[in-house]
Amino acid sequence: MACFLVPTAQAVITTIAAKVLKSKEKEETVKIYLADGSVEEATKIPFSAKLGWLNKLLWGGSALLAFEHLWHGEIVPFFPFLTAVKSGETAEMLAEMRSAGVMMSVLITAVWVGMLAVASVIEKRALRAPKPAEEGV
Amino acid sequence: MTLLTTIFAAIICTIIWYRDAPKSEMKVGHLCWMFWGASLMWLIDAIIEYGELGAEYFTPAPVDMLNDFYLGLSVVALGLVIWLVILLVKDPKGVVKAALFTKK
């Protein structure tokens, strides 16, 4: 009915949050250790850029889902835009937003948190100096 | 079928993105985010539908399957159009800029 509106609302909030964070963040230069043993200076990706991953997932998914809703006649390009509101099924629509919409937002956020965890492990591994080879091995 | 079509589109785009990374001249990353975002959202729809229908969910009527596939292809087409607009507006290779100006 209109489940995609929940992730869309989340996308608006996280996009504003990312813009605010970006204006406050400073570049952090670190030394990373490459596989061949050489050291390279690099700039760490700020948190606002990582929040951008969530924004892109939410905006992209919401856009394509909005098209699907248009396809099924659940949204229309004229007021009140939502067919459920026009046909007096607002309560059912809100119930669907509470169930499917919230679950969509939760799943996408959970996947993003997983991505942050993996990125953190990769970053820590790159920042750690390789152990010198043990003698006699 | 829509979910399956979008997941395949997301996988193909991710492979293309990884092959060209860390360069992103074609901005394929935008397509990856779009298709993965939609796939995750449709996965929730699929789970809810499976909860209602049970095993019947996996045996859709051929007409429904065809309609869903048609929708899936249309979604992929829309995603590609959005990506193309982003690519031409951002113009990372300067192709549009070069086409608009001629060197003296």
Side-chain angles (χ1 to χ4, degrees):
Chain A
M1 287 182 166
C3 51
F4 72 99
L5 289 179
V6 178
T8 307
Q10 189 192 353
V12 171
I13 295 164
T14 54
T15 303
I16 294 167
K19 295 254 184 233
V20 172
L21 278 173
K22 198 179 176 184
S23 64
K24 289 179 180 176
E25 278 171 339
K26 287 175 186 169
E27 263 191 11
E28 193 185 338
T29 311
V30 289
K31 280 181 181 171
I32 55 166
Y33 296 87
L34 303 174
D36 60 357
S38 60
V39 183
E40 209 174 68
E41 277 212 346
T43 310
K44 214 174 167 185
I45 290 179
F47 184 74
S48 62
K50 290 174 181 169
L51 196 56
W53 302 343
L54 178 64
N55 292 338
K56 288 170 196 164
L57 277 174
L58 289 167
W59 281 120
S62 299
L64 297 186
L65 253 80
F67 174 73
E68 184 234 11
H69 283 70
L70 193 72
W71 180 283
H72 289 132
E74 291 168 337
I75 56 172
V76 282
F78 43 84
F79 192 81
F81 306 109
L82 300 162
T83 314
V85 174
K86 200 180 175 189
S87 58
E89 293 172 296
T90 312
E92 287 93 327
M93 185 192 78
L94 291 173
E96 200 221 20
M97 283 169 72
R98 271 197 303 272
S99 55
V102 170
M103 276 163 74
M104 283 172 181
S105 280
V106 168
L107 178 67
I108 288 197
T109 309
V111 168
W112 174 69
V113 169
M115 285 170 66
L116 288 186
V118 172
S120 167
V121 170
I122 294 169
E123 279 172 354
K124 277 178 188 163
R125 209 179 286 165
L127 291 172
R128 207 183 303 140
K131 286 177 188 170
E134 284 177 40
E135 282 179 35
V137 180
Chain B
M1 206 62 185
T2 309
L3 170 65
L4 209 56
T5 314
T6 320
I7 286 180
F8 273 115
I11 291 169
I12 292 166
C13 290
T14 309
I15 291 168
I16 294 169
W17 168 79
Y18 190 85
R19 197 194 57 188
D20 298 339
K23 282 190 294 172
S24 63
E25 281 186 333
M26 294 301 287
K27 302 274 171 204
V28 181
H30 289 285
L31 270 178
C32 297
W33 294 116
M34 224 180 330
F35 289 141
W36 279 121
S39 299
L40 290 170
M41 290 184 190
W42 273 315
L43 180 67
I44 293 295
D45 266 351
I47 292 168
I48 290 171
E49 215 175 318
Y50 175 74
E52 289 167 3
L53 301 173
E56 205 183 308
Y57 171 77
F58 298 106
T59 51
V63 175
D64 293 339
M65 230 167 93
L66 192 68
N67 192 4
D68 278 353
F69 183 55
Y70 183 28
L71 171 60
L73 287 181
S74 305
V75 163
V76 172
L78 177 69
L80 289 170
V81 169
I82 294 171
W83 165 71
L84 208 57
V85 170
I86 293 170
L87 184 70
L88 294 177
V89 169
K90 290 200 173 177
D91 193 21
K93 290 174 101 175
V95 177
V96 179
K97 198 178 165 188
L100 294 172
F101 296 97
T102 47
K103 281 182 185 174
K104 275 190 179 177

